[in-house]
Amino acid sequence: MCWDISLHTDIELVKNSYPKIRDERKKKEYNYDYFENVQAITFPEYPIIMKDKEGEGIALLEMEWGVLPTYIQDPKLQDDRRRSMVNARSERILDDKKSFWYRLKNQRCLIPVSGTYEHRKISGWKKKVPYYIAEKGRDIFYLPGLYQWHETVDEDGVVEKVGSFGMITRDANAVMANIHNDGPNKHRMPLFLPEDLEKLWLSDDLSEDDMRAIFHFEIDTKDLLFHPVYTLRGYPNRPDDKHRYEPFDWEGLPPLGNDKPIANTLF
């Protein structure tokens, strides 16, 4: 769930939202065709806005998607667990003070996106239909997350500091519940926020009560843009050569909220 996102808008727009941000990226130019469909479970490097724990402001830099569970030593088990840590359930961050996420609660970040994707199951169809979801009227917006630092040692003994992060999710609103309607984590969605709460998320003096209020925010359906798109996985190009995030007309696709069986032998 919430594993696919798109960043097809110029990342430099971040500096309009955060004029005092420090740009610490190693890579300044991006292939936005690649960023049209980023899959978090592959742990890609991705630009985020990080709140510095030492009070030095905020920075734009790359971190790996998927918080690395450093408490697990076996590499295979570590990767398996990490796939479940590309997302953090908002309701588990504060309520369990022994949890890994609670320890990261003050290591907050924002994830710049143009939009996200989710898959909808249609009764009688072989595969799920992907949808593109974005905030209306915003070329780029920011999803809240938590990050951590860990150290790696290469074969030459060089120690490198590496960051990893997870995106925060919540219970789905009405439209997202109809889209994300299947799977073990169905009826979830990213924690979409308005601009004022995005900025509050990076505030130095954010209290647990403030954080809980942010977690309880539910975006109104009218503030979301959403439409079906072409298959994201297994097909390298769309048959119409359009961008992955552009609307695609699936023949026979029932409207949201109506999932009665409809014959479709192709999808």
Side-chain angles (χ1 to χ4, degrees):
M1 55 150 293
C2 306
W3 289 341
D4 301 86
I5 65 96
S6 181
L7 178 62
H8 53 264
T9 311
D10 190 345
I11 191 67
E12 294 298 319
L13 288 179
V14 168
K15 297 172 185 177
N16 294 338
S17 303
Y18 299 92
K20 296 182 179 180
I21 197 168
R22 303 191 313 275
D23 192 342
E24 297 183 359
R25 291 173 296 157
K26 297 176 183 177
K27 184 177 180 180
K28 302 295 184 181
E29 296 183 4
Y30 295 139
N31 177 354
Y32 287 100
D33 289 338
Y34 166 78
F35 276 111
E36 281 185 15
N37 179 27
V38 178
Q39 296 182 22
I41 56 173
T42 62
F43 316 136
E45 283 197 342
Y46 190 88
I48 66 160
I49 301 171
M50 178 197 76
K51 174 189 173 297
D52 196 304
K53 194 167 58 173
E54 280 71 37
E56 296 179 1
I58 58 175
L60 176 65
L61 73 169
E62 297 96 348
M63 285 191 180
E64 295 177 357
W65 205 309
V67 170
L68 185 73
T70 52
Y71 52 87
I72 298 175
Q73 301 303 313
D74 181 272
K76 184 180 184 305
L77 293 177
Q78 192 179 68
D79 274 359
D80 289 344
R81 177 60 178 151
R82 188 178 186 182
R83 289 186 185 92
S84 69
M85 298 181 74
V86 300
N87 296 155
R89 286 178 173 252
S90 60
E91 59 268 31
R92 293 180 179 174
I93 294 171
L94 296 177
D95 293 341
D96 182 1
K97 290 183 168 50
K98 296 181 180 179
S99 74
F100 193 74
W101 294 117
Y102 184 80
R103 293 199 296 272
L104 299 183
K105 71 182 188 302
N106 292 324
Q107 293 168 219
R108 302 186 298 276
C109 64
L110 290 173
I111 307 161
V113 300
S114 306
T116 69
Y117 299 100
E118 196 51 81
H119 291 75
R120 173 189 174 200
K121 182 179 181 180
I122 309 295
S123 181
W125 289 37
K126 293 182 179 180
K127 294 185 180 179
K128 298 178 183 179
V129 177
Y131 277 69
Y132 174 75
I133 304 103
E135 292 192 18
K136 284 183 180 176
R138 304 186 69 185
D139 292 327
I140 193 167
F141 58 98
Y142 308 93
L143 299 172
L146 299 173
Y147 74 88
Q148 73 164 2
W149 291 107
H150 62 274
E151 291 184 344
T152 63
V153 182
D154 66 18
E155 58 185 12
D156 297 320
V158 177
V159 178
E160 183 181 10
K161 189 177 180 182
V162 179
S164 57
F165 69 94
M167 179 180 72
I168 296 176
T169 67
R170 58 152 292 140
D171 288 336
N173 66 6
V175 70
M176 289 297 294
N178 278 314
I179 295 173
H180 189 196
N181 63 352
D182 188 58
N185 293 303
K186 67 181 181 180
H187 300 159
R188 302 290 300 178
M189 71 176 186
L191 182 58
F192 295 105
L193 297 175
E195 292 182 64
D196 60 331
L197 292 186
E198 291 170 351
K199 288 182 166 57
L200 181 60
W201 181 247
L202 294 184
S203 172
D204 287 331
D205 55 356
L206 187 72
S207 68
E208 287 195 13
D209 286 341
D210 293 332
M211 196 177 299
R212 200 178 298 277
I214 290 174
F215 293 159
H216 287 162
F217 176 82
E218 180 179 307
I219 193 167
D220 196 300
T221 295
K222 66 178 176 57
D223 295 323
L224 289 178
L225 175 154
F226 49 92
H227 54 247
V229 297
Y230 190 66
T231 308
L232 298 175
R233 302 169 187 167
Y235 295 82
N237 297 303
R238 286 176 54 143
D240 55 12
D241 293 324
K242 292 184 178 180
H243 292 290
R244 291 185 180 274
Y245 54 85
E246 294 186 78
F248 187 82
D249 184 16
W250 287 105
E251 183 179 356
L253 180 67
L256 285 176
N258 178 8
D259 293 331
K260 294 179 181 178
I262 295 178
N264 187 309
T265 58
L266 297 178
F267 194 75

